[in-house]
Amino acid sequence: MSGPAQSSACVPLLAAVVVALATVLTVHALKLFKRRLVKETGVAVLYGLLLGLIVRFSWSGQGEHKRNIINECTCPPVNSTPHILIVNITSHGHCYRHVGKISQRCSPLSVPHTETFDPEVLFNLFLPPIIFHGAYTLNQRRFIENLGSVLMFAFLGTMISCVCIGACVYGFTRLMVVLGQAADGEFFLTDCLLFGAIMSATDPVSVLGLLSELHMDSDLYTLLFGESVLNDAVAIVLTLAIATYSQMGAGLIFNPGAFFHSLLFFTGVLIGSFLLGFLFTVIAALLTKFTNLRGSPLLEASAVFLLSWSSFLSAEACGLSGIVAVLFCGLSQARYTALNLSPEGTARTKQLFEVLYFLGEIFFFSYMGYILLTFPHHVFKGLFISGAFLSIFISRACNIYPLSFLLNLGRTNKIPPRFQHFMMFAGLRGAVAFSLAVKDISTEVRRTVLTTTLLLVIFTIWVLGTAAEPVLRRLDIRVGEDVNENPQGPSFEVAAERPDTTEGLWHCLDYKYLKPLLTHCGPPLTDSLPQWCSLFARIFSSPHMREDEEQLCESEPTDAESKLEKTEQRAESSISDSGSEHQEDLLEGDLGLGTASAPNTPRSPLQPPLIHEVQGPISQCD
């Protein structure tokens, strides 16, 4: 690469590094002085806006110089040549303006340009660790306890939000037509539903940063964070399905064939992405189970990282959703592969993804602020933007309150109204919504969607994120408690001696088959599988299962042991304080809708002691 070209390529990278460093120092200063007015994402957006402002001022100087040059080299106009040509290549839009024919007395002009970041680099490099980190650090125990509620909010709630936002925005577009601010047929219903699917994705990065700082109630934490992690998958596949229908449909005319094709596309992409993500978990788990990577923590962490990243790239290469694949890969890696890692390998893996998650958060949100001021083809439509702002609150209310009412009919641990109010308030948008909006900016409608998405993201980060702590205190929700001893680390579970409420298809599949196959835990496969599978069972069974389990138990760090003692004391006190009125509910199970406290069953001296279970990045076997 030549000298000037190499120097020009380093300019955006240097600017990104300077912005990231400034964000790190600013966040450190805010934490040092205990200021919580702005979160990390808000600081990154602020510095991105500042960088965009600097670039925009430099543009104005270059534009004046360009006009002077054009005046010196004017040519007769050509009737057949368009004045402006916009070329869209995948996710990149290029705008060319006709200046004139180059004459003999005028040397070729190098048109001034602005150095920009390629968004594909951000999406492929930093988005996978962001999504993986959110899934990998999710509290597995509480997630499974509230699985039914989280799935309902993530799947049904996302579809409700999509329809509500799309209908509300479509009403405002019809008002724009009446007022003469838009042409009839400029905005179709499918365009508005596409915008609704994009804005239905609540951002796990923003939600995780908000919840980690506030240390709120553990059930509220699980519901909000679990929903934000899973609904990204639904929103992404829903966006792809609506875009597919829009390409096959006929504008405002309902096309049943295109609708069912989009429905099959939605189901196929979702299931295919889940299976592909789990496939890479199987590869990582078997690799760490049957090789001696535990002896080299560096190689151990590197293998887990590369296989997890490969799930994203493979899904994208296959035409599936990389975010959905890496999301399920993170969830399953935390449940299976983490059991095979050494303590040092576990710590290195967690730290690696945590660093990449933090840097990705900074680069993504600073890039949003930068694009807001430097993108030359923003389309600001006041009524569309107003309708979008109003619709995100209406859709959130139509999502949270009705579904909470239905869930409380089956939950033993109800979702109180104050939790519902905060869940309605905490629908922050971020990286996923932006990545969906910026993929196609070929038309004026899509550029309107991009501009509105950027404004909504910045509004939710600055306004809603800043007001979260006062709202929590106003709603009298506990703030400042340690949700899981360490929200970013392992979660510690105490299993009292009570009837097993997890019996069923999932327990049978997970405990009897998946864990013995992928880890050193659980009963031997020779006991679980039928006789005709004995060869398969002997190949994939761990010959030293019990010894490895004992070594894993002994290899826990001393701070984990102290946390286990604290957890045992809390569990014993909770068992003694709880009444026997929930015994029937526990026997029947809660279907993942919400777990009740343990019944008050006295322990006999002959009974074995409480069983401690560690789940998450450092985990013991079930």
Side-chain angles (χ1 to χ4, degrees):
M1 184 182 291
S2 61
Q6 185 176 6
S7 302
S8 177
C10 290
V11 171
L13 295 178
L14 179 61
V17 170
V18 171
V19 168
L21 184 59
T23 303
V24 169
L25 296 178
T26 305
V27 170
H28 173 69
L30 291 175
K31 290 186 176 181
L32 187 64
F33 293 101
K34 298 181 179 180
R35 303 291 183 183
R36 294 183 178 178
L37 293 178
V38 183
K39 309 301 177 188
E40 291 89 342
T41 52
V43 175
V45 170
L46 181 63
Y47 281 116
L49 289 171
L50 181 61
L51 178 62
L53 194 63
I54 295 173
V55 171
R56 192 158 184 102
F57 274 118
S58 65
W59 261 10
S60 60
Q62 290 181 349
E64 184 65 29
H65 175 67
K66 180 179 176 181
R67 281 192 296 270
N68 294 335
I69 296 178
I70 292 174
N71 290 334
E72 294 178 2
C73 296
T74 57
C75 302
V78 181
N79 296 330
S80 60
T81 304
H83 293 284
I84 296 178
L85 177 64
I86 299 178
V87 179
N88 181 64
I89 303 175
T90 64
S91 62
H92 305 282
H94 305 275
C95 180
Y96 301 93
R97 186 162 70 88
H98 175 67
V99 176
K101 183 179 179 180
I102 300 176
S103 61
Q104 297 295 330
R105 63 185 183 88
C106 293
S107 59
L109 303 176
S110 61
V111 180
H113 66 280
T114 303
E115 298 294 345
T116 59
F117 305 104
D118 186 357
E120 291 295 331
V121 174
L122 283 178
F123 300 151
N124 295 329
L125 183 61
F126 288 110
L127 192 57
I130 289 175
I131 303 300
F132 183 91
H133 178 267
Y136 191 73
T137 56
L138 190 64
N139 188 319
Q140 295 269 324
R141 168 181 167 262
R142 293 194 178 277
F143 175 71
I144 292 176
E145 287 176 354
N146 295 276
L147 183 61
S149 301
V150 171
L151 289 178
M152 182 168 283
F153 283 124
F155 281 83
L156 185 57
T158 302
M159 294 182 183
I160 292 174
S161 297
C162 172
V163 173
C164 290
I165 294 175
C168 184
V169 170
Y170 183 71
F172 273 83
T173 59
R174 302 312 301 169
L175 181 60
M176 292 168 57
V177 173
V178 172
L179 298 178
Q181 298 183 11
D184 192 10
E186 181 178 355
F187 288 91
F188 293 115
L189 179 60
T190 52
D191 297 323
C192 298
L193 289 176
L194 181 68
F195 176 73
I198 291 173
M199 294 311 303
S200 297
T202 56
D203 186 55
V205 176
S206 307
V207 173
L208 178 61
L210 176 65
L211 302 183
S212 300
E213 287 288 333
L214 297 178
H215 303 300
M216 62 182 63
D217 183 272
S218 56
D219 286 331
L220 179 59
Y221 180 99
T222 303
L223 290 174
L224 273 176
F225 187 42
E227 179 211 2
S228 66
V229 169
L230 291 184
N231 88 329
D232 283 347
V234 183
I236 291 166
V237 182
L238 191 60
T239 302
L240 295 176
I242 294 175
T244 302
Y245 175 82
S246 181
Q247 294 172 1
M248 297 180 60
L252 295 174
I253 301 175
F254 177 73
N255 189 330
F259 174 78
F260 285 108
H261 180 272
S262 301
L263 187 62
L264 291 176
F265 178 81
F266 174 86
T267 307
V269 169
L270 190 63
I271 295 177
S273 301
F274 274 128
L275 292 178
L276 187 60
F278 186 70
L279 174 63
F280 279 90
T281 294
V282 171
I283 296 173
L286 293 178
L287 181 66
T288 54
K289 177 182 178 180
F290 291 106
T291 61
N292 196 25
L293 285 177
R294 289 175 60 92
S296 178
L298 177 61
L299 299 180
E300 204 173 26
S302 301
V304 173
F305 168 73
L306 292 176
L307 285 171
S308 303
W309 193 16
S310 298
S311 66
F312 175 88
L313 299 177
S314 300
E316 292 292 329
C318 295
L320 301 174
S321 173
I323 294 179
V324 177
V326 77
L327 167 68
F328 194 69
C329 182
L331 288 172
S332 51
Q333 293 263 41
R335 188 158 188 86
Y336 302 111
T337 308
L339 297 175
N340 301 330
L341 302 181
S342 63
E344 187 177 353
T346 301
R348 289 195 180 190
T349 302
K350 173 180 173 293
Q351 292 167 359
L352 174 61
F353 279 105
E354 194 169 6
V355 170
L356 291 175
Y357 148 80
F358 181 72
L359 292 178
E361 173 188 30
I362 291 176
F363 288 136
F364 252 103
F365 284 90
S366 59
Y367 184 69
M368 291 183 207
Y370 173 80
I371 285 295
L372 184 62
L373 292 182
T374 58
F375 183 62
H377 306 293
H378 279 302
V379 180
F380 294 91
K381 294 184 179 292
L383 279 177
F384 187 90
I385 295 172
S386 302
F389 271 82
L390 181 63
S391 66
I392 62 172
F393 292 104
I394 295 177
S395 64
R396 193 70 178 167
C398 294
N399 170 5
I400 297 299
Y401 293 120
L403 294 185
S404 297
F405 172 78
L406 294 176
L407 289 170
N408 283 338
L409 297 178
R411 286 179 62 102
T412 51
N413 186 16
K414 309 296 183 184
I415 305 175
R418 63 181 187 275
F419 282 15
Q420 300 176 32
H421 298 332
F422 187 77
M423 291 176 67
M424 197 279 292
F425 178 83
L428 306 182
R429 272 69 174 181
V432 174
F434 170 70
S435 64
L436 293 175
V438 79
K439 280 186 177 296
D440 184 6
I441 53 174
S442 57
T443 63
E444 184 175 347
V445 172
R446 295 300 175 88
R447 292 193 290 275
T448 304
V449 169
L450 173 62
T451 303
T452 308
T453 300
L454 286 172
L455 294 175
L456 286 174
V457 169
I458 294 176
F459 170 79
T460 57
I461 294 301
W462 276 357
V463 179
L464 301 186
T466 303
E469 186 175 2
V471 170
L472 279 173
R473 299 191 183 279
R474 180 69 176 175
L475 294 174
D476 195 22
I477 298 176
R478 290 174 293 176
V479 177
E481 63 175 14
D482 209 350
V483 178
N484 300 312
E485 292 291 338
N486 181 9
Q488 298 293 336
S491 59
F492 299 90
E493 175 181 338
V494 177
E497 295 187 25
R498 58 179 185 262
D500 187 5
T501 61
T502 59
E503 287 290 351
L505 179 61
W506 166 246
H507 174 75
C508 180
L509 179 64
D510 178 59
Y511 181 71
K512 293 184 179 181
Y513 300 102
L514 290 180
K515 281 192 174 178
L517 173 65
L518 302 178
T519 69
H520 301 289
C521 305
L525 284 174
T526 52
D527 297 342
S528 303
L529 294 177
Q531 187 65 30
W532 58 273
C533 297
S534 58
L535 178 62
F536 177 85
R538 285 196 300 268
I539 292 175
F540 288 96
S541 291
S542 175
H544 307 291
M545 181 179 299
R546 301 305 176 187
E547 297 177 6
D548 292 340
E549 183 176 355
E550 293 175 359
Q551 293 175 2
L552 183 61
C553 297
E554 295 174 356
S555 64
E556 297 297 327
T558 56
D559 59 340
E561 295 176 358
S562 62
K563 291 178 180 179
L564 285 171
E565 294 176 0
K566 296 178 183 178
T567 312
E568 179 180 0
Q569 296 174 1
R570 290 198 306 270
E572 290 176 345
S573 62
S574 63
I575 293 173
S576 60
D577 294 338
S578 60
S580 60
E581 62 272 13
H582 298 299
Q583 177 70 26
E584 183 179 353
D585 293 331
L586 284 171
L587 289 173
E588 294 178 356
D590 204 18
L591 301 178
L593 298 177
T595 302
S597 57
N600 188 9
T601 56
R603 295 175 56 205
S604 170
L606 298 178
Q607 290 176 332
L610 294 174
I611 300 173
H612 300 283
E613 180 183 33
V614 183
Q615 290 184 346
I618 302 178
S619 178
Q620 294 180 358
C621 306
D622 285 337

